[in-house]
Amino acid sequence: MPIRSKVLAICIASIAVPAYAQHGIDANDIRREGVPCNDFFDYANGAWRAAHAIPNYMDRWSRRWESGEINKEHVRDILADVSQKTDWSKGSAEQLSGDFYAACMDEGRVNALDIKPAQPLLDEIGALKTRADVQRAIAHLHDIGIAVPFGLFAAQDLHDPTQVIAHLSAGGLGLPDRDYYLKPEKRFVETRAKYHEHVAKMFELAGVKPAVAKADAQTVFAFEKRLAQASLDNVALRDPKQQDHKTRYVDLAKLAPSFSWDAYFDAAKLAHADLNVTQPKFLQQVDKELRTTPVAQWRIYLGWQVLNAGADSLSAPFVEENFAFNGKFLTGATEMKPRWKRCAEATDNQLGEALGKKYVEKYFPPEAKARTQAMVKNILLAMGDAIRALDWMSEETKKKAQEKLAAFNVKVGYPDKWKDYAGVTVVRDAYWNDVMSASRWNVDDGRAQIGKPVDRTRWGMTPPTSNAYYNPFLNEIVFPAGILQPPAFDVNAIDAVNYGAIGVVIGHEITHGFDDEGAQFDAKGALTNWWTQQDKDKFGARAQCVVKQFDGYFIEPGIHHNGKLVLGESIADLGGAKIAWLAYKKSREGKASEPTLDGFTPEQQFFIAWGQWRGDDIRHETQRTMVQGDPHPIAKYRVNGPLSNLPAFRETFQCKADAPMVRPAADHCEVW
Ligand SMILES: [Zn+2]
């Protein structure tokens, strides 16, 4: 979801072919010497973590991440099978996905071609002479999905959620966010030095002489730093109001007079219609660059952006250098994923709905869909009960909150209408061109929505994706088949476990509709206030409690979570655990008690399921990168943070009032 793409990079194993025979929680994963009321994260699956080192190619590891990797094996099996046949009809889902995967897997050919497939594009950029040439190059890069230095995407009008308009976004940075360019702390200084080396190395691989490559890297950094200075930071990016700047088309020329907007919109086949400029200050900076930065520097900057965006579709040296910086250095992973896995990911990324149909046929039975839908229904009802019971909110605001809840659109498993990818050309001996053709199709598919009524059937994630999201524009919650797999969800597990794992995820996504960001959108997805001032103030004070709690979570001396950055996710975890618990209890009313496991009551299994699904082992480098830019807290605090605020947890494990997993009354947080 464009405006909050970083935010929605949210929040996982198998049914037809079980990954393991275990259904429900695994008592062997529990660290029995641990004390649940002291550190539940350590207790719930400390034994599993001690026995399972993070694989070299991963930045985090748990049964949840393992399940996500198993999905990739399933995708691989489908693609390997489809690609056995070479006479599928041209343009069919099988031909496109099978040949795309086969072209990617032909590493010998990709390596032999080296930089050649990207050369025409690099030559085009190398030949830029005038500012008009620069603008044409930007438009061309946008056509193939390289959104630099700004981007254009399709999304609802923030004030008329029935219509899709164009949004101009900021982009064009090679480092994760603006702070990496500007902050004085040692870790940022080190990252900047590494980044200079990395950019220079990529230029060298593309044939630039070492001394020139070094100077070019400095040019790139200085260019990006100026863009960074004009960009919003990660906390501001979570505030939709800061990106709400509806602009008349004719006023674009006032904002950025040096850019030929007519030429750009005409080339993109887009009407000259009003749009949203998410970051006006950034666009003004781009305009200034057009006026003042020599075209020679634009050639260097845009050339780098092509190498950066295309590295993984080129030969091994590019792939390896890209991994050395973006993988090894930034996440701490020491090995690249095997090529088949990267190719399965790339195919899913570009043509996910072409292979997704087969994926759900094989790994997502109708029974799983029905069970999930029933759980979602119960958890939505529990949210309704929770809102009704709030003692701090007025009836007036409650009514609006209930209206919003009643309007939630729920998507489970896979889209009802599949993308056809008509016009994408995929051949087995030209992987780079295949990627470009699919990227172009995806860009056109987005642009085709602009100026039309909102199509509510579209999905923002592919079916095999082991993730879920809430989209505030559409007021919808979406659970792809890829996350509805053990141990998150298992048709053979008891309700306590399913509600404790996927149930909390469902509750989490529902609560996103009412977190500090989601609560600014109404039932229809318009950015509009539906709160009384008094209730808004009370909500703010409750949110501040969560900010303070997470500000106090350190990953190393001097580095702690930024409570404001992780606020939305933390409100969602806190509310999610609460309403999944309420829904579980209610769903069991009048029924026989579920079985105990190894002495653990069903209620205890509910919380252990959350601890085991959510808790993971994580590399230190990844923790640093997440704390800086990820709106999600690290898993330890996603387990201990919300549970230490929940009376139900305290009662279930009979924790004493002064136990570490029980926040003192004065610090106790509850939002929903
Ligand atoms: Zn979330």
Side-chain angles (χ1 to χ4, degrees):
M1 291 325 89
I3 283 193
R4 57 200 314 269
S5 58
K6 285 193 175 178
V7 182
L8 280 180
I10 315 161
C11 354
I12 296 190
S14 95
I15 290 160
V17 187
Y20 51 88
Q22 176 75 32
H23 299 294
I25 63 162
D26 194 332
N28 296 318
D29 293 352
I30 295 170
R31 205 172 79 79
R32 303 285 184 136
E33 319 84 87
V35 179
C37 297
N38 286 356
D39 181 348
F40 193 68
F41 164 80
D42 173 63
Y43 178 76
N45 57 344
W48 190 90
R49 281 195 294 275
H52 297 83
I54 304 175
N56 292 340
Y57 60 86
M58 293 294 291
D59 56 10
R60 287 172 269 184
W61 200 231
S62 65
R63 285 199 195 273
R64 179 248 160 116
W65 299 113
E66 181 185 51
S67 162
E69 295 307 295
I70 290 168
N71 284 358
K72 287 164 198 171
E73 289 173 23
H74 293 159
V75 167
R76 185 260 327 260
D77 293 348
I78 290 166
L79 293 170
D81 185 39
V82 163
S83 63
Q84 293 284 315
K85 246 178 86 171
T86 51
D87 57 352
W88 296 107
S89 72
K90 207 164 166 281
S92 64
E94 291 85 354
Q95 184 268 323
L96 292 173
S97 57
D99 285 353
F100 191 96
Y101 179 73
C104 180
M105 285 302 288
D106 190 351
E107 198 172 6
R109 180 162 182 87
V110 170
N111 285 342
L113 289 171
D114 197 30
I115 185 78
K116 274 195 205 83
Q119 204 59 56
L121 188 54
L122 292 169
D123 289 347
E124 182 191 317
I125 288 166
L128 304 178
K129 293 201 171 56
T130 65
R131 295 187 200 296
D133 292 344
V134 169
Q135 295 184 44
R136 272 192 294 275
I138 290 172
H140 182 193
L141 293 177
H142 286 193
D143 288 343
I144 50 176
I146 305 178
V148 295
F150 64 92
L152 180 146
F153 63 86
Q156 282 89 316
D157 185 334
L158 290 166
H159 303 283
D160 177 3
T162 65
Q163 290 297 315
V164 179
I165 61 167
H167 298 249
L168 291 179
S169 61
L173 304 183
L175 284 166
D177 65 65
R178 87 187 291 273
D179 287 353
Y180 284 87
Y181 294 86
L182 305 171
K183 283 202 163 172
E185 288 89 338
K186 195 170 154 239
R187 60 187 190 279
F188 296 114
V189 175
E190 281 170 9
T191 305
R192 291 197 277 273
K194 277 273 178 208
Y195 184 60
H196 275 87
E197 288 169 25
H198 166 59
V199 176
K201 184 84 192 291
M202 291 284 277
F203 276 129
E204 280 183 51
L205 291 174
V208 177
K209 291 200 174 69
V212 178
K214 212 173 159 188
D216 286 357
Q218 282 174 348
T219 300
V220 165
F221 185 82
F223 195 111
E224 292 183 354
K225 187 178 171 183
R226 295 193 298 273
L227 295 180
Q229 273 160 334
S231 305
L232 293 178
D233 68 21
N234 288 326
V235 170
L237 281 171
R238 289 198 59 254
D239 179 1
K241 283 215 181 71
Q242 295 208 44
Q243 297 184 76
D244 173 24
H245 307 282
K246 185 89 184 267
T247 304
R248 292 191 307 156
Y249 179 79
V250 290
D251 290 337
L252 262 184
K254 287 181 200 153
L255 196 62
S258 306
F259 197 83
S260 305
W261 293 105
D262 285 355
Y264 175 86
F265 276 80
D266 291 345
K269 297 190 182 68
L270 290 168
H272 298 183
D274 299 349
L275 71 175
N276 181 36
V277 177
T278 63
Q279 298 191 38
K281 194 177 149 205
F282 182 88
L283 208 60
Q284 286 171 321
Q285 183 63 33
V286 171
D287 193 73
K288 190 174 169 198
E289 298 297 332
L290 274 170
R291 277 182 279 121
T292 59
T293 303
V295 173
Q297 290 188 21
W298 273 97
R299 291 199 291 259
I300 294 165
Y301 168 72
L302 294 177
W304 152 247
Q305 290 294 344
V306 168
L307 293 173
N308 191 31
D312 282 344
S313 310
L314 291 169
S315 61
F318 290 95
V319 177
E320 281 158 15
E321 176 54 33
N322 190 41
F323 174 74
F325 182 74
N326 289 302
K328 245 182 203 164
F329 182 73
L330 286 178
T331 75
T334 56
E335 232 173 60
M336 254 188 288
K337 287 187 177 177
R339 188 158 184 99
W340 67 260
K341 216 175 254 196
R342 288 181 272 129
C343 289
E345 288 171 351
T347 313
D348 183 39
N349 187 30
Q350 294 286 2
L351 300 163
E353 289 193 23
L355 70 91
K357 215 173 181 172
K358 285 204 159 47
Y359 176 83
V360 299
E361 277 166 19
K362 224 168 155 182
Y363 301 106
F364 192 60
E367 189 194 352
K369 183 164 176 162
R371 283 273 295 270
T372 306
Q373 285 170 324
M375 282 174 75
V376 172
K377 199 176 150 205
N378 288 343
I379 299 169
L380 283 166
L381 287 172
M383 184 66 176
D385 290 344
I387 293 170
R388 225 165 279 126
L390 293 177
D391 58 7
W392 56 270
M393 188 184 270
S394 70
E395 287 306 316
E396 198 183 341
T397 306
K398 278 185 185 176
K399 193 169 161 254
K400 298 276 185 192
Q402 295 286 9
E403 274 171 29
K404 178 164 184 175
L405 186 68
F408 262 58
N409 185 31
V410 181
K411 292 176 173 172
V412 173
Y414 50 89
D416 294 328
K417 204 169 90 188
W418 297 89
K419 291 180 178 175
D420 63 5
Y421 300 101
V424 177
T425 308
V426 173
V427 292
R428 292 202 174 201
D429 58 357
Y431 181 55
W432 173 273
N433 291 350
D434 296 344
V435 174
M436 290 302 131
S437 179
S439 296
R440 194 181 277 270
W441 190 93
N442 283 305
V443 168
D444 288 345
D445 180 51
R447 286 177 180 170
Q449 308 303 313
I450 296 171
K452 292 189 186 145
V454 171
D455 176 354
R456 292 187 171 260
T457 66
R458 293 167 65 83
W459 279 55
M461 280 181 188
T462 67
T465 305
S466 182
N467 209 336
Y469 65 91
Y470 169 74
N471 181 341
F473 302 142
L474 294 171
N475 193 27
E476 68 178 9
I477 44 175
V478 186
F479 306 95
I483 199 173
L484 300 169
Q485 311 286 330
F489 171 74
D490 184 343
V491 282
N492 298 309
I494 64 171
D495 281 344
V497 171
N498 280 331
Y499 274 92
I502 195 70
V504 179
V505 176
I506 294 167
H508 171 104
E509 301 305 341
I510 293 171
T511 311
H512 267 318
F514 303 92
D515 70 15
D516 60 316
E517 187 178 4
Q520 299 185 47
F521 293 84
D522 72 6
K524 293 191 171 110
L527 181 60
T528 186
N529 180 45
W530 47 271
W531 295 69
T532 66
Q533 190 57 46
Q534 204 181 21
D535 289 334
K536 211 171 164 181
D537 293 344
K538 287 183 185 165
F539 176 77
R542 285 173 178 267
Q544 190 52 40
C545 176
V546 179
V547 170
K548 203 179 139 203
Q549 179 182 3
F550 281 80
D551 273 342
Y553 288 144
F554 282 74
I555 58 156
E556 64 187 69
I559 305 184
H560 58 83
H561 268 301
N562 176 350
K564 278 193 179 138
L565 179 62
V566 300
L567 179 57
E569 296 301 329
S570 304
I571 290 176
D573 281 341
L574 182 54
K578 177 180 161 180
I579 61 173
W581 170 263
L582 292 175
Y584 168 63
K585 293 305 279 182
K586 199 159 185 179
S587 75
R588 298 305 305 174
E589 278 173 11
K591 293 182 187 162
S593 179
E594 294 193 296
T596 59
L597 180 102
D598 221 6
F600 293 107
T601 65
E603 287 77 12
Q604 289 173 328
Q605 292 177 63
F606 173 98
F607 290 110
I608 293 169
W610 177 244
Q612 293 193 343
W613 187 77
R614 183 88 273 168
D616 62 32
D617 201 1
I618 177 169
R619 294 182 189 281
H620 190 70
E621 292 85 346
T622 304
Q623 292 189 35
R624 278 186 168 194
T625 305
M626 281 183 71
V627 164
Q628 162 59 26
D630 198 320
H632 301 86
I634 63 167
K636 176 178 179 175
Y637 300 126
R638 295 190 71 177
V639 175
N640 290 353
L643 298 190
S644 61
N645 281 313
L646 277 193
F649 172 81
R650 193 178 316 158
E651 288 153 19
T652 298
F653 287 93
Q654 297 174 349
C655 299
K656 294 205 176 94
D658 60 351
M661 284 297 299
V662 178
R663 284 177 70 78
D667 297 329
H668 181 260
C669 303
E670 185 177 53
V671 183
W672 292 97

